[in-house]
């Protein structure tokens, strides 16, 4: 892909999302967004972040003022709290969307969106791997990196189909061999 952006833009592969604190009542979603700025003067912008629940409703959001200095990269961290989160699990993969927009006053400069699940992973020698507090046994396999007759190119639907077939066969983890 070739990305084209303005003088103020969200960096490629942003935002970075993590869920450091989770309970049944509330989840803390940490959103790190890097903004690139190519001009030489100082500029103040608004970074607006929305968390959209699996049903398409805005579950939470936050706006932050950012001061950008000439020809720089600036990281902004936002903590957004989602009430009564729908937790992601292997059998029930509830997914949220994080939509980040950058404004100069009322003018939209850039937007980025990312999909994520709210879940807690824990690993220790006594309990092994736990997902949302439940012990999970990995049932995995090693598969080749290509999609058979389709070849080594990655196509979204081919990857989805491969995962669907593996889940139907009872797998819940995969190692890709290159």
């Amino acid at each position: 892909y070739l990305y084209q952006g303005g003088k103020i833009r969200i960096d490629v592969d942003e935002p970075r999302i993590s869920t450091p604190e989770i309970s049944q009542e509330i989840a803390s979603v940490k959103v790190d967004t890097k903004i690139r700025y190519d001009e030489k003067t100082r500029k103040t912008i608004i970074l607006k972040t929305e968390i959209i629940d699996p049903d398409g409703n805005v579950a939470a959001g936050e706006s932050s003022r950012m001061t950008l200095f000439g020809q720089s990269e600036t990281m902004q961290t936002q903590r957004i709290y989602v009430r009564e989160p729908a937790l992601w699990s292997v059998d029930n993969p509830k997914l949220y969307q994080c939509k980040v927009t950058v404004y100069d006053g009322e003018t939209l400069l850039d937007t980025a969106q990312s999909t994520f699940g709210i879940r807690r992973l824990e690993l220790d020698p006594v309990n092994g791997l736990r997902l949302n507090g439940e012990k999970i046994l990995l049932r995995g396999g090693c598969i080749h990196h290509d999609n058979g007759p389709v070849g080594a190119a990655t196509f979204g639907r081919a990857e989805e189909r491969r995962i669907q077939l593996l889940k139907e066969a009872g797998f819940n983890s995969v190692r890709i061999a290159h």
Side-chain angles (χ1 to χ4, degrees):
Y1 297 100
L2 176 63
Y3 296 102
Q4 180 180 350
K7 303 232 183 246
I8 299 173
R9 64 193 176 279
I10 299 168
D11 201 12
V12 177
D13 296 329
E14 297 291 327
R16 303 283 178 165
I17 303 161
S18 61
T19 53
E21 300 166 26
I22 298 171
S23 71
Q24 294 294 339
E25 296 81 30
I26 198 162
S28 169
V29 178
K30 182 181 170 196
V31 181
D32 294 322
T33 307
K34 187 186 298 180
I35 305 294
R36 290 185 179 263
Y37 180 46
D38 292 339
E39 291 290 324
K40 293 183 180 182
T41 60
R42 187 174 68 183
K43 184 84 168 167
T44 300
I45 61 165
I46 302 294
L47 179 69
K48 181 179 177 184
T49 303
E50 294 180 322
I51 305 297
I52 301 162
D53 70 18
D55 296 325
N57 304 310
V58 176
E62 181 166 322
S63 291
S64 302
R65 280 184 137 12
M66 291 179 68
T67 300
L68 306 175
F69 296 94
Q71 298 179 331
S72 65
E73 297 176 359
T74 305
M75 178 69 76
Q76 180 72 31
T77 298
Q78 296 170 305
R79 274 216 198 247
I80 302 170
Y81 295 93
V82 176
R83 296 188 184 281
E84 299 178 11
L87 299 183
W88 183 95
S89 70
V90 175
D91 296 323
N92 196 7
K94 299 283 186 175
L95 293 174
Y96 285 78
Q97 294 289 321
C98 177
K99 182 179 178 184
V100 178
T101 50
V102 178
Y103 291 93
D104 180 7
E106 297 293 319
T107 305
L108 175 65
L109 299 176
D110 200 5
T111 186
Q113 196 159 327
S114 188
T115 304
F116 70 101
I118 296 177
R119 82 285 188 267
R120 181 177 54 242
L121 286 172
E122 300 167 285
L123 179 64
D124 65 63
V126 175
N127 297 302
L129 178 64
R130 288 180 290 164
L131 176 63
N132 301 325
E134 293 182 30
K135 188 173 183 174
I136 186 168
L137 296 175
L138 295 178
R139 291 180 295 285
C142 180
I143 59 174
H144 202 266
H145 75 281
D146 70 0
N147 285 303
V150 177
T154 300
F155 299 99
R157 180 61 195 129
E159 297 301 324
E160 286 177 27
R161 181 179 179 277
R162 180 174 15 190
I163 296 301
Q164 286 171 337
L165 292 172
L166 288 167
K167 283 191 80 161
E168 289 170 9
F171 291 90
N172 67 4
S173 62
V174 175
R175 177 184 177 274
I176 306 291
H178 294 279

